[in-house]
Amino acid sequence: MKKILFGFSMVALGLTSCSNNNEKTATPPPADTVKVVEKKAEFQPFDIVEIDHTVKNYDKWRPGFNTDSTNRIASGLEFIVIGRGMDNANSLAIFLKAADVQKAKDFANNPRLKDIMQKNGVMTKPDISYQHVIRFNADSKEKQWVSIKHKVKDFDAWVKVYDSEGTATRATFGLVDVLLARGNDDPNMVYIIFDITDMAKAKARMSDPALKQLMTDAGVEGKPQITFYTTAD
């Protein structure tokens, strides 16, 4: 009897062991961790309006500008940034994203805007340009930047020379590519903005004869308009 019980116990133990082994075998290994990589949204060109003018006092002008935001939004204009001239902090460059260029033009041509500007202390006739942005670096957040505007003989020929210089070379001069745009009304009008990581190098580059020669080779017509800005609060 003891032998039978002992044998039964051994069988039972063996079955339990097999069962445990089967369970271990049946347990699927943990699934490999899948890394989800978010695909960066493809850049889509967009239109902007740049308004350049000088005001009597920026601190007094800004509240009036902010108050008029409702009218800008109604015209499809979205605030981007205001630059204050380094040589004159009351010399301003205002950038607005335009959902509809014609609506933006209607907004700018409305006599109401002229009245608001006068009330807010705008001293000079606004220089308003409508630009089609074809390259934009939203990642750069420097507070100092330079704006370059010039006309070219042929944009496609110019951009080949511009690209031959390359972003890496410009970076050695303290310049980070931020914006490249063409005029909506004149596609051979070029607008460029570089953020600045080294002011001394950037200013030296702007007056470098080598850059002037590069522009000449690219077909730049006339003297470029170069302005240094700091981002307004």
Side-chain angles (χ1 to χ4, degrees), residues 49-119:
V49 181
E50 179 182 350
I51 304 172
D52 300 327
H53 57 50
T54 300
V55 299
K56 292 179 182 178
N57 184 295
Y58 173 81
D59 293 329
K60 292 182 179 180
W61 168 86
R62 186 62 188 263
F65 173 81
N66 292 344
T67 299
D68 198 45
S69 63
T70 303
N71 290 312
R72 290 194 296 272
I73 293 171
S75 297
L77 296 169
E78 177 185 343
F79 177 77
I80 301 176
V81 71
I82 294 176
R84 302 182 68 179
M86 288 187 184
D87 294 332
N88 180 359
N90 288 319
S91 180
L92 311 178
I94 305 157
F95 293 85
L96 307 168
K97 186 175 181 180
D100 185 304
V101 174
Q102 187 54 56
K103 284 185 177 180
K105 289 182 177 181
D106 292 341
F107 172 83
N109 293 327
N110 192 320
R112 181 197 60 80
L113 181 62
K114 183 178 180 180
D115 292 339
I116 290 176
M117 286 184 172
Q118 288 178 343
K119 290 178 182 178

Side-chain angles (χ1 to χ4, degrees), residues 150-154 157-158 161 213-222:
H150 56 56
K151 187 176 175 63
V152 297
K153 294 177 182 177
D154 180 273
W158 171 85
V161 178
Q213 184 59 53
L214 187 68
M215 288 182 170
T216 300
D217 294 341
V220 173
E221 297 182 327

Side-chain angles (χ1 to χ4, degrees), residues 9 23 30 45 68 71 77 93 99 131 136 146 150 158 163 175 178 208 222 230:
S9 298
E23 287 178 0
D68 198 45
N71 290 312
L77 296 169
Q131 308 167 20
F136 183 67
V146 60
H150 56 56
W158 171 85
D163 286 343
L175 302 168
V178 173
D208 188 349
T230 56

Side-chain angles (χ1 to χ4, degrees), residues 122-165:
V122 173
M123 299 173 60
T124 60
K125 182 180 179 180
D127 181 11
I128 304 175
S129 59
Y130 304 90
Q131 308 167 20
H132 186 62
V133 179
I134 59 174
R135 297 181 190 175
F136 183 67
N137 174 11
D139 296 328
S140 190
K141 304 295 182 182
E142 301 294 332
K143 294 295 185 180
Q144 296 180 317
W145 35 286
V146 60
S147 166
I148 304 173
K149 304 174 186 179
H150 56 56
K151 187 176 175 63
V152 297
K153 294 177 182 177
D154 180 273
F155 179 84
D156 293 331
W158 171 85
V159 81
K160 288 180 180 179
V161 178
Y162 178 76
D163 286 343
S164 70
E165 180 187 45

